Amino acid sequence: MSVDRITNVTTYIVVSGEDDHCIEIAKKRIEDAFSLPTVDQSPDPFLVHHIIAHESFLQSKAIITKLRHRLYDALDNVDAYGKGEKSLDRVALRALTNELHLISQDADSLVSSTEMGTMVVERMSAAHRKLMQESDAALKNAFSLVGDSLEQHVQTLHARRRWLLSYKSRKDIAMNLVFNLVTQQDSETNMSIAQATKNDSAAMKTIAALTMVFLPATAVSSFFGMAFFNGQGGSLTVTSNWWIFLAITIPMTLMLLLIWLRWTDILNVLEIIGRSTHAGWELVRLRSRLPDDGSDRTRVDSTSSGNSSLEKDVSKIV
């Protein structure tokens, strides 16, 4: 905007989108204002600022109203889950969480727009006050209406920012409630798993107790049922080869116990052997591709050192 005091002409440059109806409405309001028979001969230079700011404010009310309705719908769903009116559904809760995140992002965008609009209107109001200070008494009376309107816009934008921050606070409370509901559901699931594990443990204890009860009788009956013992004729006779049973059973039992005790070390040895075999094949492949000038000698030496380290690991475990 530029004001020429000599010619009493104010020039405005207004930029807007192609589909912005705010400008057309502002033009209509300006035409209506200048068509009035009681219009002042020296209109306020900030009249266009006031009209555009007011129309922009009215246009944004629909956006905030839509955001408020979305927030209230999400809060109603969260309250229904919290009161137990709806069963907890993880898919529905995930969708509700995404909706709350989108609401938060839209609220942040509106807060930023409100703060920017507040800054612009405050600067317009300050410039208007400076204009009134440099004007005579008659112009001050004519310009006071626009000045009061700009001050009202500033206060309204501050109130709108507080409302938007309140929406964000309510969204955060609802989000925390959703997280708590999901956490409670996970806790209930973990408790169910723990209870099932406890029941399985009790069943295993029962099986172990039954095994301990019947194992001695089974072992004794199997022992005396072997061919080394003969109970016919009313007397128990033992053959002279009974030591074969002990000679085979005792070493096998000790071998199985040793394998069980060293099972973890055996798995580690097998893993190291597998890595050593892979490194050995890699070494063979590199040597087959090695040129006569020995340009890849460093890589082959590093592979050989890797094989030696693997051999040291195997020797430590063994």
Side-chain angles (χ1 to χ4, degrees), residues 29-80:
R29 290 185 58 180
I30 293 173
E31 292 176 358
D32 294 340
F34 282 95
S35 64
L36 295 177
T38 58
V39 65
D40 193 275
Q41 297 297 325
S42 299
D44 195 322
F46 286 86
L47 177 62
V48 176
H49 297 75
H50 158 63
I51 292 176
I52 293 178
H54 185 256
E55 291 299 329
S56 299
F57 178 81
L58 294 178
Q59 192 179 33
S60 63
K61 288 180 64 176
I63 301 175
I64 296 180
T65 301
K66 183 179 179 181
L67 176 67
R68 183 172 64 251
H69 290 167
R70 289 171 54 197
L71 176 63
Y72 287 167
D73 292 340
L75 293 178
D76 291 339
N77 291 328
V78 173
D79 292 338

Short mmCIF file of all heavy atoms in Angstrom, two decimals, residues 29-80:
data_model
loop_
_atom_site.label_atom_id
_atom_site.label_comp_id
_atom_site.label_asym_id
_atom_site.label_seq_id
_atom_site.Cartn_x
_atom_site.Cartn_y
_atom_site.Cartn_z
N ARG A 29 -17.69 -5.39 -0.81
CA ARG A 29 -17.83 -4.57 0.38
C ARG A 29 -17.25 -3.17 0.16
O ARG A 29 -17.80 -2.18 0.66
CB ARG A 29 -17.15 -5.25 1.57
CG ARG A 29 -17.86 -6.49 2.07
CD ARG A 29 -17.21 -7.06 3.30
NE ARG A 29 -17.16 -6.08 4.39
CZ ARG A 29 -16.63 -6.32 5.60
NH1 ARG A 29 -16.10 -7.51 5.84
NH2 ARG A 29 -16.63 -5.39 6.52
N ILE A 30 -16.15 -3.07 -0.56
CA ILE A 30 -15.57 -1.74 -0.84
C ILE A 30 -16.52 -0.93 -1.72
O ILE A 30 -16.73 0.27 -1.49
CB ILE A 30 -14.19 -1.91 -1.50
CG1 ILE A 30 -13.19 -2.52 -0.51
CG2 ILE A 30 -13.67 -0.57 -1.99
CD1 ILE A 30 -11.87 -2.88 -1.12
N GLU A 31 -17.07 -1.57 -2.74
CA GLU A 31 -18.03 -0.87 -3.60
C GLU A 31 -19.24 -0.41 -2.80
O GLU A 31 -19.73 0.71 -2.97
CB GLU A 31 -18.46 -1.79 -4.74
CG GLU A 31 -17.36 -2.10 -5.74
CD GLU A 31 -17.81 -3.10 -6.78
OE1 GLU A 31 -18.97 -3.57 -6.69
OE2 GLU A 31 -17.01 -3.42 -7.69
N ASP A 32 -19.72 -1.27 -1.90
CA ASP A 32 -20.86 -0.87 -1.07
C ASP A 32 -20.50 0.28 -0.15
O ASP A 32 -21.31 1.18 0.10
CB ASP A 32 -21.35 -2.07 -0.25
CG ASP A 32 -21.92 -3.18 -1.13
OD1 ASP A 32 -22.28 -2.89 -2.29
OD2 ASP A 32 -21.99 -4.33 -0.65
N ALA A 33 -19.23 0.25 0.37
CA ALA A 33 -18.82 1.32 1.28
C ALA A 33 -18.73 2.67 0.58
O ALA A 33 -19.13 3.70 1.13
CB ALA A 33 -17.48 0.96 1.92
N PHE A 34 -18.21 2.68 -0.65
CA PHE A 34 -18.06 3.94 -1.38
C PHE A 34 -19.35 4.37 -2.06
O PHE A 34 -19.44 5.51 -2.52
CB PHE A 34 -16.94 3.83 -2.42
CG PHE A 34 -15.57 3.94 -1.84
CD1 PHE A 34 -14.85 2.80 -1.50
CD2 PHE A 34 -15.01 5.18 -1.60
CE1 PHE A 34 -13.59 2.90 -0.96
CE2 PHE A 34 -13.74 5.28 -1.06
CZ PHE A 34 -13.02 4.14 -0.73
N SER A 35 -20.30 3.48 -2.16
CA SER A 35 -21.57 3.87 -2.77
C SER A 35 -22.54 4.51 -1.79
O SER A 35 -23.59 5.02 -2.19
CB SER A 35 -22.23 2.64 -3.42
OG SER A 35 -22.56 1.68 -2.41
N LEU A 36 -22.17 4.49 -0.50
CA LEU A 36 -23.06 5.09 0.49
C LEU A 36 -23.04 6.60 0.34
O LEU A 36 -21.99 7.20 0.11
CB LEU A 36 -22.62 4.69 1.90
CG LEU A 36 -22.74 3.19 2.25
CD1 LEU A 36 -22.19 2.93 3.64
CD2 LEU A 36 -24.20 2.73 2.17
N PRO A 37 -24.17 7.25 0.53
CA PRO A 37 -24.20 8.72 0.37
C PRO A 37 -23.46 9.46 1.48
O PRO A 37 -23.04 10.59 1.30
CB PRO A 37 -25.69 9.04 0.39
CG PRO A 37 -26.33 7.90 1.11
CD PRO A 37 -25.52 6.70 0.79
N THR A 38 -23.27 8.78 2.61
CA THR A 38 -22.62 9.45 3.75
C THR A 38 -21.14 9.13 3.85
O THR A 38 -20.53 9.35 4.87
CB THR A 38 -23.32 9.03 5.05
OG1 THR A 38 -23.24 7.58 5.15
CG2 THR A 38 -24.76 9.45 5.06
N VAL A 39 -20.57 8.60 2.74
CA VAL A 39 -19.17 8.23 2.82
C VAL A 39 -18.30 9.47 2.96
O VAL A 39 -18.57 10.52 2.38
CB VAL A 39 -18.77 7.44 1.54
CG1 VAL A 39 -18.86 8.32 0.30
CG2 VAL A 39 -17.34 6.90 1.70
N ASP A 40 -17.28 9.36 3.77
CA ASP A 40 -16.38 10.48 4.02
C ASP A 40 -15.54 10.77 2.78
O ASP A 40 -15.19 9.88 2.01
CB ASP A 40 -15.46 10.13 5.21
CG ASP A 40 -14.76 11.37 5.70
OD1 ASP A 40 -13.70 11.70 5.13
OD2 ASP A 40 -15.27 11.98 6.65
N GLN A 41 -15.21 12.07 2.57
CA GLN A 41 -14.41 12.45 1.41
C GLN A 41 -12.99 11.93 1.51
O GLN A 41 -12.30 11.83 0.51
CB GLN A 41 -14.42 13.99 1.27
CG GLN A 41 -15.79 14.56 1.02
CD GLN A 41 -16.37 14.09 -0.31
OE1 GLN A 41 -15.64 13.90 -1.29
NE2 GLN A 41 -17.69 13.90 -0.35
N SER A 42 -12.51 11.66 2.70
CA SER A 42 -11.16 11.13 2.92
C SER A 42 -11.29 9.78 3.63
O SER A 42 -11.22 9.73 4.87
CB SER A 42 -10.32 12.11 3.74
OG SER A 42 -10.19 13.33 3.07
N PRO A 43 -11.51 8.72 2.87
CA PRO A 43 -11.69 7.41 3.52
C PRO A 43 -10.38 6.94 4.15
O PRO A 43 -9.29 7.36 3.76
CB PRO A 43 -12.12 6.50 2.37
CG PRO A 43 -11.57 7.15 1.15
CD PRO A 43 -11.63 8.63 1.41
N ASP A 44 -10.53 6.08 5.11
CA ASP A 44 -9.36 5.55 5.82
C ASP A 44 -8.52 4.71 4.87
O ASP A 44 -9.02 3.81 4.20
CB ASP A 44 -9.84 4.68 7.00
CG ASP A 44 -8.73 4.41 7.99
OD1 ASP A 44 -7.58 4.21 7.53
OD2 ASP A 44 -9.01 4.39 9.19
N PRO A 45 -7.18 4.99 4.77
CA PRO A 45 -6.33 4.18 3.89
C PRO A 45 -6.28 2.71 4.29
O PRO A 45 -5.96 1.86 3.46
CB PRO A 45 -4.95 4.84 4.02
CG PRO A 45 -5.23 6.23 4.49
CD PRO A 45 -6.44 6.12 5.37
N PHE A 46 -6.58 2.44 5.56
CA PHE A 46 -6.54 1.06 6.04
C PHE A 46 -7.90 0.38 5.94
O PHE A 46 -8.09 -0.69 6.52
CB PHE A 46 -6.06 1.01 7.49
CG PHE A 46 -4.58 1.26 7.63
CD1 PHE A 46 -4.10 2.55 7.72
CD2 PHE A 46 -3.68 0.21 7.67
CE1 PHE A 46 -2.75 2.79 7.85
CE2 PHE A 46 -2.32 0.44 7.79
CZ PHE A 46 -1.84 1.74 7.88
N LEU A 47 -8.84 0.97 5.20
CA LEU A 47 -10.16 0.36 5.07
C LEU A 47 -10.07 -0.99 4.34
O LEU A 47 -10.71 -1.96 4.74
CB LEU A 47 -11.09 1.31 4.31
CG LEU A 47 -12.51 0.78 4.04
CD1 LEU A 47 -13.24 0.50 5.33
CD2 LEU A 47 -13.28 1.77 3.17
N VAL A 48 -9.28 -1.03 3.28
CA VAL A 48 -9.12 -2.29 2.54
C VAL A 48 -8.45 -3.35 3.42
O VAL A 48 -8.82 -4.53 3.40
CB VAL A 48 -8.33 -2.05 1.25
CG1 VAL A 48 -8.08 -3.37 0.51
CG2 VAL A 48 -9.07 -1.08 0.35
N HIS A 49 -7.44 -2.93 4.21
CA HIS A 49 -6.80 -3.87 5.14
C HIS A 49 -7.82 -4.46 6.10
O HIS A 49 -7.83 -5.67 6.36
CB HIS A 49 -5.69 -3.16 5.93
CG HIS A 49 -4.58 -2.64 5.07
ND1 HIS A 49 -4.71 -1.53 4.29
CD2 HIS A 49 -3.31 -3.10 4.89
CE1 HIS A 49 -3.57 -1.29 3.67
NE2 HIS A 49 -2.70 -2.23 4.01
N HIS A 50 -8.65 -3.59 6.63
CA HIS A 50 -9.66 -4.03 7.58
C HIS A 50 -10.63 -5.01 6.94
O HIS A 50 -10.96 -6.06 7.51
CB HIS A 50 -10.40 -2.81 8.14
CG HIS A 50 -11.75 -3.14 8.69
ND1 HIS A 50 -11.93 -3.97 9.78
CD2 HIS A 50 -13.00 -2.74 8.30
CE1 HIS A 50 -13.22 -4.07 10.03
NE2 HIS A 50 -13.89 -3.35 9.15
N ILE A 51 -11.09 -4.71 5.74
CA ILE A 51 -12.09 -5.57 5.08
C ILE A 51 -11.48 -6.94 4.74
O ILE A 51 -12.08 -7.99 4.99
CB ILE A 51 -12.63 -4.87 3.82
CG1 ILE A 51 -13.45 -3.65 4.22
CG2 ILE A 51 -13.46 -5.84 2.99
CD1 ILE A 51 -13.95 -2.85 3.03
N ILE A 52 -10.26 -6.93 4.16
CA ILE A 52 -9.63 -8.20 3.80
C ILE A 52 -9.31 -9.03 5.04
O ILE A 52 -9.52 -10.25 5.06
CB ILE A 52 -8.36 -7.93 2.97
CG1 ILE A 52 -8.75 -7.32 1.62
CG2 ILE A 52 -7.57 -9.22 2.76
CD1 ILE A 52 -7.56 -6.98 0.74
N ALA A 53 -8.82 -8.38 6.10
CA ALA A 53 -8.53 -9.11 7.34
C ALA A 53 -9.81 -9.71 7.92
O ALA A 53 -9.82 -10.86 8.39
CB ALA A 53 -7.86 -8.19 8.35
N HIS A 54 -10.89 -8.94 7.88
CA HIS A 54 -12.14 -9.43 8.43
C HIS A 54 -12.69 -10.61 7.61
O HIS A 54 -13.16 -11.61 8.16
CB HIS A 54 -13.16 -8.29 8.50
CG HIS A 54 -14.45 -8.68 9.16
ND1 HIS A 54 -15.60 -8.93 8.45
CD2 HIS A 54 -14.76 -8.86 10.47
CE1 HIS A 54 -16.57 -9.25 9.28
NE2 HIS A 54 -16.08 -9.22 10.52
N GLU A 55 -12.63 -10.50 6.28
CA GLU A 55 -13.12 -11.59 5.43
C GLU A 55 -12.25 -12.84 5.56
O GLU A 55 -12.76 -13.96 5.54
CB GLU A 55 -13.17 -11.12 3.97
CG GLU A 55 -14.23 -10.08 3.69
CD GLU A 55 -15.64 -10.60 3.98
OE1 GLU A 55 -15.87 -11.82 3.83
OE2 GLU A 55 -16.50 -9.79 4.36
N SER A 56 -10.95 -12.64 5.69
CA SER A 56 -10.07 -13.80 5.89
C SER A 56 -10.37 -14.49 7.21
O SER A 56 -10.37 -15.73 7.30
CB SER A 56 -8.60 -13.35 5.86
OG SER A 56 -8.29 -12.77 4.61
N PHE A 57 -10.65 -13.69 8.23
CA PHE A 57 -11.00 -14.26 9.52
C PHE A 57 -12.30 -15.05 9.43
O PHE A 57 -12.40 -16.17 9.95
CB PHE A 57 -11.12 -13.14 10.55
CG PHE A 57 -11.51 -13.62 11.92
CD1 PHE A 57 -10.57 -14.17 12.77
CD2 PHE A 57 -12.83 -13.52 12.35
CE1 PHE A 57 -10.94 -14.63 14.03
CE2 PHE A 57 -13.20 -13.97 13.59
CZ PHE A 57 -12.26 -14.52 14.44
N LEU A 58 -13.30 -14.50 8.76
CA LEU A 58 -14.57 -15.22 8.62
C LEU A 58 -14.40 -16.49 7.78
O LEU A 58 -15.05 -17.50 8.04
CB LEU A 58 -15.61 -14.29 7.98
CG LEU A 58 -16.05 -13.07 8.80
CD1 LEU A 58 -17.04 -12.23 8.01
CD2 LEU A 58 -16.64 -13.51 10.13
N GLN A 59 -13.54 -16.42 6.76
CA GLN A 59 -13.33 -17.58 5.92
C GLN A 59 -12.64 -18.72 6.67
O GLN A 59 -12.90 -19.90 6.41
CB GLN A 59 -12.48 -17.18 4.71
CG GLN A 59 -12.41 -18.22 3.61
CD GLN A 59 -11.59 -17.75 2.44
OE1 GLN A 59 -10.62 -17.00 2.61
NE2 GLN A 59 -11.96 -18.17 1.24
N SER A 60 -11.79 -18.39 7.62
CA SER A 60 -11.07 -19.44 8.37
C SER A 60 -11.94 -20.09 9.44
O SER A 60 -11.56 -21.13 9.98
CB SER A 60 -9.82 -18.84 9.02
OG SER A 60 -10.17 -17.83 9.97
N LYS A 61 -13.08 -19.49 9.77
CA LYS A 61 -13.94 -20.07 10.79
C LYS A 61 -14.44 -21.44 10.37
O LYS A 61 -14.58 -22.35 11.20
CB LYS A 61 -15.12 -19.15 11.09
CG LYS A 61 -14.75 -17.89 11.85
CD LYS A 61 -15.96 -17.01 12.11
CE LYS A 61 -16.96 -17.71 12.99
NZ LYS A 61 -18.11 -16.82 13.32
N ALA A 62 -14.73 -21.62 9.07
CA ALA A 62 -15.22 -22.92 8.60
C ALA A 62 -14.16 -24.00 8.79
O ALA A 62 -14.47 -25.14 9.15
CB ALA A 62 -15.63 -22.82 7.13
N ILE A 63 -12.88 -23.65 8.57
CA ILE A 63 -11.80 -24.63 8.73
C ILE A 63 -11.66 -25.04 10.19
O ILE A 63 -11.52 -26.23 10.52
CB ILE A 63 -10.48 -24.05 8.19
CG1 ILE A 63 -10.64 -23.68 6.71
CG2 ILE A 63 -9.33 -25.03 8.39
CD1 ILE A 63 -9.43 -22.99 6.13
N ILE A 64 -11.71 -24.07 11.09
CA ILE A 64 -11.58 -24.37 12.51
C ILE A 64 -12.80 -25.14 13.01
O ILE A 64 -12.69 -26.05 13.84
CB ILE A 64 -11.37 -23.07 13.30
CG1 ILE A 64 -10.05 -22.41 12.89
CG2 ILE A 64 -11.39 -23.32 14.80
CD1 ILE A 64 -9.74 -21.13 13.60
N THR A 65 -13.98 -24.81 12.49
CA THR A 65 -15.18 -25.55 12.89
C THR A 65 -15.08 -27.02 12.47
O THR A 65 -15.43 -27.93 13.23
CB THR A 65 -16.42 -24.91 12.26
OG1 THR A 65 -16.51 -23.54 12.69
CG2 THR A 65 -17.68 -25.65 12.66
N LYS A 66 -14.58 -27.26 11.26
CA LYS A 66 -14.39 -28.64 10.80
C LYS A 66 -13.38 -29.37 11.67
O LYS A 66 -13.58 -30.56 12.02
CB LYS A 66 -13.94 -28.63 9.35
CG LYS A 66 -13.78 -30.01 8.74
CD LYS A 66 -13.36 -29.91 7.28
CE LYS A 66 -13.18 -31.30 6.67
NZ LYS A 66 -12.74 -31.22 5.25
N LEU A 67 -12.30 -28.69 12.04
CA LEU A 67 -11.30 -29.30 12.92
C LEU A 67 -11.90 -29.62 14.28
O LEU A 67 -11.65 -30.70 14.85
CB LEU A 67 -10.11 -28.36 13.07
CG LEU A 67 -9.00 -28.82 14.04
CD1 LEU A 67 -8.29 -30.05 13.50
CD2 LEU A 67 -8.00 -27.70 14.28
N ARG A 68 -12.71 -28.72 14.80
CA ARG A 68 -13.34 -28.95 16.11
C ARG A 68 -14.27 -30.15 16.06
O ARG A 68 -14.30 -30.97 16.99
CB ARG A 68 -14.09 -27.69 16.54
CG ARG A 68 -14.71 -27.83 17.93
CD ARG A 68 -15.30 -26.53 18.43
NE ARG A 68 -16.40 -26.08 17.60
CZ ARG A 68 -16.34 -25.03 16.78
NH1 ARG A 68 -15.21 -24.33 16.68
NH2 ARG A 68 -17.38 -24.66 16.06
N HIS A 69 -15.05 -30.29 14.99
CA HIS A 69 -15.95 -31.44 14.86
C HIS A 69 -15.16 -32.74 14.76
O HIS A 69 -15.56 -33.76 15.37
CB HIS A 69 -16.84 -31.26 13.64
CG HIS A 69 -17.85 -30.17 13.80
ND1 HIS A 69 -18.58 -29.65 12.75
CD2 HIS A 69 -18.25 -29.47 14.91
CE1 HIS A 69 -19.39 -28.70 13.19
NE2 HIS A 69 -19.19 -28.56 14.50
N ARG A 70 -14.06 -32.73 14.02
CA ARG A 70 -13.22 -33.94 13.94
C ARG A 70 -12.66 -34.31 15.31
O ARG A 70 -12.63 -35.49 15.69
CB ARG A 70 -12.08 -33.71 12.96
CG ARG A 70 -12.50 -33.65 11.50
CD ARG A 70 -11.35 -33.19 10.63
NE ARG A 70 -10.18 -34.01 10.82
CZ ARG A 70 -8.94 -33.65 10.44
NH1 ARG A 70 -8.73 -32.47 9.86
NH2 ARG A 70 -7.92 -34.45 10.65
N LEU A 71 -12.23 -33.29 16.05
CA LEU A 71 -11.68 -33.55 17.39
C LEU A 71 -12.74 -34.10 18.32
O LEU A 71 -12.50 -35.08 19.05
CB LEU A 71 -11.08 -32.26 17.96
CG LEU A 71 -10.55 -32.35 19.39
CD1 LEU A 71 -9.40 -33.35 19.49
CD2 LEU A 71 -10.09 -30.98 19.88
N TYR A 72 -13.94 -33.51 18.30
CA TYR A 72 -15.00 -33.98 19.19
C TYR A 72 -15.44 -35.40 18.84
O TYR A 72 -15.74 -36.21 19.74
CB TYR A 72 -16.19 -33.03 19.12
CG TYR A 72 -15.94 -31.70 19.82
CD1 TYR A 72 -16.80 -30.62 19.64
CD2 TYR A 72 -14.84 -31.53 20.65
CE1 TYR A 72 -16.57 -29.40 20.28
CE2 TYR A 72 -14.61 -30.32 21.28
CZ TYR A 72 -15.46 -29.26 21.09
OH TYR A 72 -15.24 -28.06 21.71
N ASP A 73 -15.47 -35.74 17.55
CA ASP A 73 -15.81 -37.11 17.17
C ASP A 73 -14.77 -38.10 17.70
O ASP A 73 -15.12 -39.18 18.21
CB ASP A 73 -15.91 -37.22 15.64
CG ASP A 73 -17.11 -36.46 15.09
OD1 ASP A 73 -18.05 -36.19 15.87
OD2 ASP A 73 -17.09 -36.12 13.89
N ALA A 74 -13.49 -37.72 17.57
CA ALA A 74 -12.44 -38.60 18.08
C ALA A 74 -12.51 -38.71 19.60
O ALA A 74 -12.33 -39.80 20.17
CB ALA A 74 -11.06 -38.08 17.65
N LEU A 75 -12.80 -37.60 20.28
CA LEU A 75 -12.92 -37.64 21.74
C LEU A 75 -14.10 -38.49 22.18
O LEU A 75 -14.01 -39.20 23.21
CB LEU A 75 -13.05 -36.21 22.29
CG LEU A 75 -11.82 -35.31 22.14
CD1 LEU A 75 -12.13 -33.91 22.69
CD2 LEU A 75 -10.62 -35.89 22.84
N ASP A 76 -15.19 -38.46 21.43
CA ASP A 76 -16.34 -39.32 21.76
C ASP A 76 -15.96 -40.79 21.66
O ASP A 76 -16.34 -41.61 22.52
CB ASP A 76 -17.51 -39.00 20.84
CG ASP A 76 -18.11 -37.63 21.12
OD1 ASP A 76 -17.90 -37.11 22.23
OD2 ASP A 76 -18.76 -37.06 20.21
N ASN A 77 -15.20 -41.15 20.63
CA ASN A 77 -14.77 -42.54 20.50
C ASN A 77 -13.83 -42.94 21.63
O ASN A 77 -13.93 -44.05 22.18
CB ASN A 77 -14.08 -42.75 19.15
CG ASN A 77 -15.03 -42.65 17.98
OD1 ASN A 77 -16.21 -43.01 18.11
ND2 ASN A 77 -14.56 -42.17 16.85
N VAL A 78 -12.92 -42.04 21.99
CA VAL A 78 -12.00 -42.35 23.10
C VAL A 78 -12.76 -42.51 24.40
O VAL A 78 -12.49 -43.44 25.19
CB VAL A 78 -10.92 -41.25 23.21
CG1 VAL A 78 -10.06 -41.46 24.46
CG2 VAL A 78 -10.04 -41.21 21.98
N ASP A 79 -13.75 -41.65 24.66
CA ASP A 79 -14.55 -41.78 25.87
C ASP A 79 -15.33 -43.09 25.88
O ASP A 79 -15.50 -43.73 26.94
CB ASP A 79 -15.52 -40.60 25.99
CG ASP A 79 -14.79 -39.28 26.25
OD1 ASP A 79 -13.64 -39.34 26.75
OD2 ASP A 79 -15.35 -38.21 25.95
N ALA A 80 -15.81 -43.51 24.71
CA ALA A 80 -16.55 -44.77 24.63
C ALA A 80 -15.64 -45.95 24.98
O ALA A 80 -16.04 -46.88 25.69
CB ALA A 80 -17.15 -44.94 23.24
#
